[in-house]
Coordinates of all heavy atoms in Angstrom, one line a residue:
M114 N 0.9 -1.2 0.0 CA 0.0 0.0 0.0 C 0.9 1.3 0.0 O 1.8 1.3 0.8 CB -0.9 0.0 1.3 CG -2.0 1.0 1.2 SD -3.2 0.8 -0.1 CE -4.1 -0.5 0.5
I115 N 0.6 2.2 -0.9 CA 1.4 3.4 -1.0 C 0.8 4.5 -0.1 O -0.4 4.4 0.3 CB 1.5 3.9 -2.4 CG1 0.1 4.3 -3.0 CG2 2.2 2.9 -3.3 CD1 0.3 5.1 -4.3
S116 N 1.6 5.4 0.3 CA 1.2 6.5 1.2 C 0.8 7.7 0.4 O 1.0 7.8 -0.8 CB 2.3 6.9 2.2 OG 3.4 7.4 1.4
C117 N 0.2 8.7 1.1 CA -0.1 10.0 0.4 C 1.2 10.6 -0.2 O 1.1 11.2 -1.3 CB -0.8 11.0 1.4 SG -2.4 10.4 1.8
A118 N 2.3 10.5 0.6 CA 3.5 11.1 0.1 C 4.0 10.4 -1.2 O 4.4 11.1 -2.2 CB 4.6 11.0 1.1
D119 N 3.8 9.1 -1.3 CA 4.1 8.4 -2.5 C 3.2 8.8 -3.7 O 3.7 9.0 -4.8 CB 3.9 6.9 -2.3 CG 4.9 6.3 -1.3 OD1 6.0 6.9 -1.2 OD2 4.6 5.3 -0.7
F120 N 1.9 9.0 -3.3 CA 1.0 9.4 -4.4 C 1.4 10.8 -4.9 O 1.4 11.0 -6.1 CB -0.4 9.5 -3.8 CG -1.5 9.8 -4.9 CD1 -2.0 8.8 -5.6 CD2 -1.8 11.1 -5.1 CE1 -3.0 9.1 -6.6 CE2 -2.8 11.4 -6.1 CZ -3.3 10.4 -6.8
M121 N 1.7 11.7 -4.0 CA 2.1 13.1 -4.4 C 3.3 13.1 -5.2 O 3.5 13.9 -6.2 CB 2.3 14.0 -3.1 CG 1.1 14.2 -2.3 SD -0.3 14.9 -3.3 CE -1.7 14.3 -2.3
A122 N 4.3 12.2 -4.9 CA 5.5 12.1 -5.6 C 5.3 11.7 -7.0 O 6.0 12.1 -8.0 CB 6.5 11.2 -4.9
A123 N 4.2 10.9 -7.2 CA 4.0 10.3 -8.6 C 2.9 11.0 -9.4 O 2.7 10.6 -10.5 CB 3.7 8.8 -8.4
I124 N 2.2 11.9 -8.7 CA 1.0 12.5 -9.4 C 1.3 13.1 -10.7 O 0.5 13.0 -11.7 CB 0.2 13.4 -8.4 CG1 -1.2 13.7 -9.0 CG2 1.0 14.7 -8.1 CD1 -2.1 14.4 -8.0
G125 N 2.5 13.8 -10.8 CA 2.8 14.5 -12.1 C 2.9 13.5 -13.2 O 2.4 13.6 -14.3
D126 N 3.7 12.4 -12.9 CA 3.8 11.3 -13.9 C 2.5 10.7 -14.2 O 2.2 10.3 -15.4 CB 4.9 10.3 -13.4 CG 6.3 10.8 -13.4 OD1 6.5 11.8 -14.1 OD2 7.1 10.3 -12.7
Y127 N 1.7 10.4 -13.2 CA 0.4 9.8 -13.4 C -0.5 10.6 -14.3 O -1.1 10.1 -15.2 CB -0.2 9.6 -12.0 CG -1.6 9.0 -12.0 CD1 -1.8 7.7 -12.6 CD2 -2.7 9.7 -11.5 CE1 -3.1 7.1 -12.6 CE2 -4.0 9.1 -11.6 CZ -4.1 7.8 -12.1 OH -5.4 7.3 -12.2
L128 N -0.5 11.9 -14.0 CA -1.4 12.8 -14.8 C -0.9 12.8 -16.3 O -1.7 13.1 -17.2 CB -1.3 14.2 -14.2 CG -2.2 14.4 -13.0 CD1 -1.8 15.6 -12.2 CD2 -3.7 14.4 -13.3
E129 N 0.4 12.6 -16.5 CA 0.9 12.6 -17.8 C 0.9 11.3 -18.5 O 1.3 11.1 -19.6 CB 2.4 13.1 -17.8 CG 2.5 14.6 -17.6 CD 3.9 15.0 -17.2 OE1 4.9 14.3 -17.6 OE2 4.1 16.1 -16.6
G130 N 0.4 10.3 -17.7 CA 0.3 8.9 -18.2 C 1.6 8.2 -18.3 O 1.8 7.3 -19.1
D131 N 2.6 8.8 -17.6 CA 4.0 8.3 -17.7 C 4.4 7.4 -16.6 O 5.4 7.6 -15.9 CB 4.9 9.5 -17.8 CG 6.3 9.2 -18.1 OD1 6.5 8.1 -18.8 OD2 7.2 9.9 -17.8
V132 N 3.5 6.4 -16.2 CA 3.8 5.5 -15.2 C 3.6 4.0 -15.6 O 2.8 3.8 -16.5 CB 2.9 5.7 -13.9 CG1 3.4 7.0 -13.2 CG2 1.5 5.8 -14.3
A133 N 4.3 3.1 -15.0 CA 4.1 1.7 -15.4 C 2.7 1.2 -14.9 O 2.1 1.8 -14.0 CB 5.2 0.9 -14.7
A134 N 2.2 0.2 -15.5 CA 0.9 -0.3 -15.3 C 0.7 -0.6 -13.8 O -0.3 -0.3 -13.2 CB 0.6 -1.5 -16.1
E135 N 1.7 -1.3 -13.2 CA 1.5 -1.7 -11.8 C 1.6 -0.4 -10.8 O 0.9 -0.4 -9.8 CB 2.6 -2.7 -11.3 CG 4.0 -2.2 -11.3 CD 4.8 -2.6 -12.5 OE1 4.2 -2.7 -13.6 OE2 6.0 -2.8 -12.4
V136 N 2.3 0.6 -11.2 CA 2.4 1.8 -10.4 C 1.0 2.5 -10.6 O 0.4 3.0 -9.6 CB 3.5 2.7 -10.9 CG1 3.4 4.1 -10.2 CG2 4.9 2.1 -10.7
R137 N 0.5 2.6 -11.8 CA -0.8 3.2 -12.0 C -1.9 2.4 -11.1 O -2.7 3.1 -10.5 CB -1.2 3.0 -13.5 CG -2.6 3.5 -13.8 CD -2.9 3.3 -15.3 NE -2.1 4.2 -16.1 CZ -2.4 5.4 -16.5 NH1 -3.6 5.9 -16.2 NH2 -1.7 6.2 -17.2
A138 N -1.8 1.1 -11.1 CA -2.8 0.4 -10.3 C -2.7 0.7 -8.8 O -3.7 0.9 -8.2 CB -2.6 -1.1 -10.5
Q139 N -1.5 0.9 -8.3 CA -1.3 1.3 -6.9 C -1.8 2.7 -6.7 O -2.5 2.9 -5.6 CB 0.2 1.2 -6.6 CG 0.8 -0.2 -6.5 CD 2.2 -0.2 -6.0 OE1 3.0 0.6 -6.5 NE2 2.6 -1.1 -5.2
L140 N -1.5 3.6 -7.6 CA -2.0 5.0 -7.4 C -3.5 5.0 -7.4 O -4.2 5.7 -6.6 CB -1.5 5.8 -8.5 CG 0.1 6.0 -8.5 CD1 0.5 6.8 -9.8 CD2 0.5 6.8 -7.3
E141 N -4.1 4.2 -8.3 CA -5.6 4.3 -8.4 C -6.2 3.6 -7.2 O -7.3 4.0 -6.7 CB -6.0 3.6 -9.8 CG -5.8 4.5 -10.9 CD -6.0 3.9 -12.3 OE1 -6.2 2.6 -12.4 OE2 -5.9 4.6 -13.3
A142 N -5.6 2.6 -6.7 CA -6.1 1.9 -5.5 C -6.0 2.9 -4.3 O -7.0 3.0 -3.5 CB -5.2 0.7 -5.1
H143 N -4.9 3.7 -4.2 CA -4.8 4.7 -3.1 C -5.9 5.8 -3.3 O -6.6 6.1 -2.4 CB -3.4 5.3 -3.2 CG -3.3 6.3 -2.1 ND1 -2.9 6.0 -0.8 CD2 -3.4 7.7 -2.1 CE1 -2.9 7.1 -0.1 NE2 -3.2 8.1 -0.8
L144 N -6.1 6.2 -4.6 CA -7.0 7.3 -4.9 C -8.5 6.8 -4.5 O -9.3 7.6 -4.1 CB -6.9 7.6 -6.4 CG -7.4 8.9 -6.9 CD1 -6.8 10.1 -6.2 CD2 -7.2 9.0 -8.4
S145 N -8.7 5.6 -4.7 CA -10.1 5.1 -4.4 C -10.5 5.1 -3.0 O -11.7 5.2 -2.7 CB -10.3 3.6 -5.0 OG -9.5 2.8 -4.1
H146 N -9.5 5.2 -2.1 CA -9.9 5.2 -0.6 C -9.4 6.5 0.1 O -9.6 6.6 1.3 CB -9.4 3.9 0.1 CG -7.9 3.9 0.3 ND1 -7.3 4.6 1.2 CD2 -7.0 3.2 -0.4 CE1 -6.0 4.3 1.1 NE2 -5.8 3.5 0.1
C147 N -8.7 7.4 -0.6 CA -8.1 8.5 0.1 C -8.8 9.8 -0.4 O -8.5 10.2 -1.6 CB -6.6 8.6 -0.1 SG -5.9 10.0 0.7
S148 N -9.6 10.4 0.4 CA -10.3 11.6 -0.1 C -9.4 12.8 -0.2 O -9.6 13.7 -1.1 CB -11.5 12.0 0.9 OG -10.9 12.2 2.2
T149 N -8.3 12.9 0.5 CA -7.3 13.9 0.4 C -6.7 13.9 -1.0 O -6.6 14.9 -1.7 CB -6.2 13.8 1.5 OG1 -6.8 13.8 2.8 CG2 -5.2 14.9 1.4
C150 N -6.3 12.7 -1.4 CA -5.6 12.6 -2.7 C -6.6 12.8 -3.8 O -6.2 13.3 -4.9 CB -4.8 11.3 -2.8 SG -3.4 11.3 -1.7
Q151 N -7.9 12.4 -3.6 CA -8.9 12.6 -4.6 C -9.0 14.1 -4.9 O -9.1 14.6 -6.1 CB -10.3 12.1 -4.2 CG -10.4 10.6 -4.3 CD -11.6 10.0 -3.6 OE1 -12.5 10.7 -3.3 NE2 -11.5 8.7 -3.3
V152 N -9.1 15.0 -3.8 CA -9.2 16.4 -4.0 C -8.0 17.0 -4.7 O -8.1 17.8 -5.7 CB -9.3 17.1 -2.6 CG1 -9.2 18.6 -2.7 CG2 -10.7 16.7 -2.0
V153 N -6.8 16.5 -4.3 CA -5.6 17.0 -5.0 C -5.5 16.6 -6.4 O -5.2 17.4 -7.3 CB -4.3 16.4 -4.2 CG1 -3.0 16.7 -5.0 CG2 -4.2 16.9 -2.8
Y154 N -5.9 15.3 -6.7 CA -5.9 14.8 -8.1 C -6.9 15.6 -8.9 O -6.5 16.0 -10.0 CB -6.2 13.3 -8.0 CG -6.4 12.7 -9.4 CD1 -5.3 12.6 -10.3 CD2 -7.7 12.3 -9.9 CE1 -5.5 12.1 -11.6 CE2 -7.8 11.8 -11.1 CZ -6.7 11.7 -12.0 OH -6.9 11.2 -13.2
D155 N -8.1 15.8 -8.4 CA -9.1 16.5 -9.2 C -8.6 17.9 -9.5 O -8.8 18.4 -10.7 CB -10.4 16.6 -8.4 CG -11.3 15.4 -8.6 OD1 -10.9 14.5 -9.4 OD2 -12.3 15.2 -7.9
S156 N -8.1 18.6 -8.5 CA -7.7 20.0 -8.8 C -6.5 20.1 -9.7 O -6.4 20.9 -10.6 CB -7.4 20.8 -7.5 OG -6.5 20.1 -6.7
A157 N -5.5 19.1 -9.5 CA -4.4 19.1 -10.4 C -4.8 18.8 -11.9 O -4.3 19.4 -12.8 CB -3.4 18.1 -9.9
R158 N -5.7 17.8 -12.0 CA -6.1 17.4 -13.3 C -6.9 18.5 -14.0 O -6.7 18.8 -15.2 CB -7.1 16.2 -13.2 CG -7.4 15.5 -14.5 CD -8.4 14.4 -14.3 NE -9.5 14.9 -13.6 CZ -10.6 14.2 -13.2 NH1 -10.5 12.9 -13.3 NH2 -11.6 14.8 -12.5
K159 N -7.7 19.3 -13.3 CA -8.5 20.4 -13.8 C -7.5 21.5 -14.3 O -7.7 22.1 -15.4 CB -9.5 21.0 -12.8 CG -10.8 20.2 -12.8 CD -11.7 20.7 -11.7 CE -12.8 19.7 -11.4 NZ -13.2 19.7 -10.0
T160 N -6.5 21.8 -13.5 CA -5.5 22.8 -13.8 C -4.8 22.4 -15.1 O -4.6 23.2 -16.0 CB -4.5 23.0 -12.7 OG1 -5.2 23.2 -11.5 CG2 -3.6 24.1 -13.0
I161 N -4.4 21.2 -15.2 CA -3.7 20.7 -16.4 C -4.6 20.7 -17.6 O -4.2 21.0 -18.7 CB -3.0 19.3 -16.1 CG1 -1.9 19.6 -15.1 CG2 -2.6 18.7 -17.3 CD1 -1.2 18.3 -14.6
T162 N -5.9 20.3 -17.4 CA -6.8 20.4 -18.5 C -6.9 21.8 -19.1 O -7.0 22.0 -20.3 CB -8.2 19.9 -18.0 OG1 -8.0 18.5 -17.6 CG2 -9.2 19.8 -19.2
V163 N -7.0 22.8 -18.2 CA -7.1 24.2 -18.6 C -5.9 24.5 -19.4 O -6.0 25.1 -20.5 CB -7.3 25.1 -17.4 CG1 -7.1 26.6 -17.8 CG2 -8.6 24.9 -16.8
L164 N -4.7 24.2 -18.9 CA -3.5 24.5 -19.6 C -3.4 23.8 -21.0 O -3.0 24.3 -22.0 CB -2.3 24.1 -18.8 CG -2.1 24.9 -17.5 CD1 -0.9 24.3 -16.7 CD2 -1.8 26.3 -17.8
T165 N -3.8 22.5 -21.0 CA -3.8 21.7 -22.2 C -4.8 22.3 -23.3 O -4.4 22.4 -24.4 CB -4.2 20.2 -21.9 OG1 -3.3 19.7 -20.9 CG2 -4.0 19.4 -23.1
D166 N -6.0 22.7 -22.8 CA -7.0 23.3 -23.7 C -6.5 24.6 -24.3 O -6.9 24.9 -25.4 CB -8.3 23.5 -23.0 CG -9.0 22.2 -22.7 OD1 -8.6 21.1 -23.3 OD2 -10.0 22.2 -22.0
S167 N -5.6 25.3 -23.6 CA -5.1 26.5 -24.1 C -4.1 26.3 -25.2 O -3.6 27.2 -25.8 CB -4.6 27.4 -23.0 OG -3.3 26.9 -22.5
G168 N -3.6 25.0 -25.3 CA -2.6 24.7 -26.3 C -1.2 25.0 -25.9 O -0.3 24.9 -26.7
S169 N -1.0 25.3 -24.6 CA 0.3 25.8 -24.2 C 1.0 24.6 -23.6 O 1.1 24.4 -22.3 CB 0.2 26.9 -23.1 OG -0.6 28.0 -23.7
F170 N 1.5 23.7 -24.4 CA 2.2 22.5 -23.9 C 3.5 22.9 -23.2 O 3.9 22.2 -22.3 CB 2.4 21.5 -25.0 CG 1.2 20.8 -25.4 CD1 0.5 21.2 -26.6 CD2 0.6 19.9 -24.6 CE1 -0.7 20.6 -26.9 CE2 -0.6 19.3 -24.9 CZ -1.3 19.6 -26.1
D171 N 4.2 23.9 -23.7 CA 5.4 24.4 -23.0 C 5.0 24.9 -21.6 O 5.7 24.6 -20.6 CB 6.0 25.5 -23.8 CG 6.6 25.0 -25.1 OD1 6.8 23.8 -25.2 OD2 7.0 25.9 -25.9
L172 N 3.9 25.6 -21.5 CA 3.4 26.1 -20.2 C 3.1 24.9 -19.3 O 3.5 24.9 -18.1 CB 2.2 27.0 -20.4 CG 1.6 27.6 -19.2 CD1 2.6 28.5 -18.5 CD2 0.3 28.4 -19.6
L173 N 2.4 23.9 -19.9 CA 2.1 22.7 -19.1 C 3.3 22.1 -18.5 O 3.4 21.8 -17.3 CB 1.3 21.7 -20.0 CG 1.1 20.3 -19.4 CD1 0.2 20.4 -18.2 CD2 0.5 19.4 -20.5
E174 N 4.3 21.9 -19.3 CA 5.5 21.3 -18.9 C 6.2 22.0 -17.7 O 6.6 21.5 -16.7 CB 6.5 21.1 -20.0 CG 7.5 20.0 -19.8 CD 8.2 19.6 -21.1 OE1 7.5 19.3 -22.1 OE2 9.5 19.7 -21.1
S175 N 6.3 23.4 -17.9 CA 7.0 24.2 -16.9 C 6.1 24.4 -15.7 O 6.6 24.6 -14.6 CB 7.4 25.5 -17.5 OG 6.3 26.2 -17.9
A176 N 4.8 24.3 -15.8 CA 3.9 24.6 -14.7 C 3.6 23.3 -13.9 O 3.2 23.5 -12.7 CB 2.6 25.2 -15.2
S177 N 3.7 22.2 -14.4 CA 3.2 21.0 -13.7 C 4.0 20.7 -12.4 O 3.4 20.4 -11.4 CB 3.3 19.7 -14.6 OG 4.6 19.5 -15.0
K178 N 5.3 21.0 -12.4 CA 6.0 20.8 -11.2 C 5.6 21.8 -10.1 O 5.3 21.4 -9.0 CB 7.5 20.9 -11.5 CG 8.1 19.6 -11.9 CD 9.1 19.0 -10.8 CE 9.8 17.8 -11.3 NZ 8.9 16.7 -11.8
P179 N 5.7 23.1 -10.4 CA 5.2 24.1 -9.4 C 3.8 23.8 -8.8 O 3.6 23.9 -7.6 CB 5.3 25.4 -10.1 CG 6.3 25.2 -11.1 CD 6.2 23.8 -11.6
I180 N 2.9 23.3 -9.7 CA 1.6 23.0 -9.2 C 1.6 21.9 -8.2 O 1.0 22.0 -7.1 CB 0.7 22.6 -10.4 CG1 0.3 23.9 -11.3 CG2 -0.6 22.0 -9.9 CD1 -0.3 23.5 -12.6
T181 N 2.4 20.9 -8.5 CA 2.5 19.7 -7.6 C 3.1 20.2 -6.3 O 2.7 19.8 -5.2 CB 3.4 18.6 -8.3 OG1 2.8 18.3 -9.5 CG2 3.3 17.4 -7.4
E182 N 4.1 21.1 -6.4 CA 4.8 21.5 -5.2 C 3.8 22.4 -4.3 O 3.8 22.3 -3.1 CB 6.0 22.3 -5.5 CG 7.2 21.4 -5.9 CD 8.3 22.1 -6.6 OE1 8.3 23.3 -6.7 OE2 9.1 21.4 -7.2
K183 N 3.0 23.2 -5.0 CA 2.1 24.0 -4.3 C 1.0 23.2 -3.5 O 0.7 23.4 -2.4 CB 1.3 25.0 -5.2 CG 1.9 26.4 -5.3 CD 1.1 27.2 -6.2 CE 2.0 27.8 -7.3 NZ 1.2 28.4 -8.4
I184 N 0.6 22.2 -4.3 CA -0.4 21.2 -3.7 C 0.2 20.5 -2.5 O -0.4 20.4 -1.4 CB -0.9 20.2 -4.7 CG1 -1.8 21.0 -5.8 CG2 -1.7 19.1 -4.1 CD1 -2.0 20.2 -7.0
M185 N 1.4 20.1 -2.6 CA 2.1 19.4 -1.6 C 2.3 20.3 -0.4 O 2.2 19.8 0.8 CB 3.4 18.8 -2.0 CG 3.2 17.6 -3.0 SD 4.8 16.9 -3.5 CE 5.4 16.2 -2.0
A186 N 2.6 21.5 -0.6 CA 2.8 22.5 0.5 C 1.5 22.7 1.2 O 1.5 22.8 2.5 CB 3.3 23.8 -0.1
R187 N 0.4 22.7 0.5 CA -0.9 22.8 1.1 C -1.2 21.6 2.0 O -1.7 21.7 3.1 CB -2.0 23.0 0.0 CG -3.3 23.5 0.6 CD -4.4 23.4 -0.4 NE -4.2 24.1 -1.6 CZ -4.9 24.0 -2.7 NH1 -6.0 23.2 -2.7 NH2 -4.7 24.7 -3.8
I188 N -0.9 20.4 1.5 CA -1.1 19.2 2.2 C -0.3 19.2 3.5 O -0.8 18.9 4.6 CB -0.7 17.9 1.4 CG1 -1.6 17.9 0.1 CG2 -0.9 16.7 2.2 CD1 -2.9 17.3 0.2
R189 N 0.9 19.6 3.4 CA 1.8 19.6 4.5 C 1.3 20.6 5.6 O 1.3 20.3 6.8 CB 3.3 20.0 4.1 CG 4.0 18.9 3.4 CD 5.5 19.2 3.4 NE 6.1 18.5 2.2 CZ 6.4 19.1 1.1 NH1 6.2 20.4 0.9 NH2 7.0 18.4 0.1
S190 N 0.9 21.8 5.2 CA 0.4 22.8 6.2 C -0.9 22.3 6.8 O -1.2 22.5 8.0 CB 0.2 24.1 5.5 OG -0.9 24.1 4.6
H191 N -1.7 21.5 6.0 CA -2.9 21.0 6.5 C -2.6 19.9 7.6 O -3.2 19.9 8.7 CB -3.7 20.3 5.4 CG -5.0 19.6 5.8 ND1 -6.1 20.3 6.3 CD2 -5.3 18.3 6.0 CE1 -7.0 19.4 6.6 NE2 -6.6 18.2 6.5
E192 N -1.6 19.1 7.3 CA -1.2 18.1 8.3 C -0.7 18.7 9.6 O -0.9 18.2 10.7 CB -0.2 17.2 7.7 CG -0.8 16.2 6.7 CD 0.3 15.4 5.9 OE1 1.5 15.7 6.1 OE2 -0.1 14.4 5.2
R193 N 0.0 19.8 9.4 CA 0.6 20.5 10.6 C -0.5 21.0 11.5 O -0.4 21.0 12.7 CB 1.4 21.7 10.2 CG 2.9 21.5 10.2 CD 3.7 22.7 10.4 NE 3.4 23.7 9.4 CZ 3.8 23.8 8.1 NH1 4.7 22.8 7.7 NH2 3.5 24.7 7.3
H194 N -1.6 21.5 10.9 CA -2.7 22.1 11.7 C -3.7 21.1 12.2 O -4.4 21.4 13.2 CB -3.5 23.1 10.8 CG -2.6 24.3 10.5 ND1 -2.0 25.1 11.4 CD2 -2.3 24.9 9.3 CE1 -1.3 26.1 10.8 NE2 -1.5 25.9 9.5
S195 N -3.7 19.9 11.7 CA -4.7 18.9 12.2 C -4.1 18.0 13.2 O -3.0 18.2 13.7 CB -5.2 18.2 11.0 OG -4.2 17.5 10.3
Ligands
ZN227 ZN1 -3.7 9.9 0.0

C-alpha cells in the first residue's frame, strides 16, 4: 500500500500517463480510498486540463512541477494544523 507522500511524488507522472501499469494500479487503489488525494488529483487534473486546452504545452511542462509543489505544500500545512 502506498502513502499519500508516494501518491504526491508520482501524481505528475500519473497525470501525464507516464507510469508503469503496476504503479498506475497502486495509485488508483490509493485514490479510491483517500479523499485527500482525490481532492488533490481533481484540482491538479483540472488545472492541467485548462493548460492543455489553451494549447500551451510548453506552459504545461513548466507549470506541472510548481503546481504539484504548491499542492504538496498545502497538504503539509494541513497536516501541521490537524
Ligand atoms: Zn492519499
Side-chain angles (χ1 to χ4, degrees):
M114 190 62 76
I115 64 169
S116 66
C117 290
D119 293 332
F120 185 88
M121 295 306 152
I124 192 170
D126 289 339
Y127 178 59
L128 284 163
E129 288 168 20
D131 189 23
V132 289
E135 68 260 32
V136 175
R137 174 182 293 269
Q139 287 183 319
L140 295 173
E141 285 172 353
H143 181 84
L144 202 55
S145 70
H146 71 77
C147 180
S148 57
T149 303
C150 289
Q151 281 167 20
V152 170
V153 172
Y154 173 69
D155 276 351
S156 56
R158 192 186 51 187
K159 277 175 196 151
T160 306
I161 288 172
T162 300
V163 168
L164 293 174
T165 305
D166 286 350
S167 74
S169 304
F170 287 105
D171 290 346
L172 182 62
L173 169 64
E174 200 167 307
S175 61
S177 60
K178 274 249 185 305
I180 289 166
T181 309
E182 280 161 16
K183 262 183 235 163
I184 291 166
M185 287 181 71
R187 195 192 301 170
I188 301 280
R189 286 197 204 99
S190 71
H191 177 72
E192 282 172 353
R193 259 205 307 279
H194 293 306
S195 60

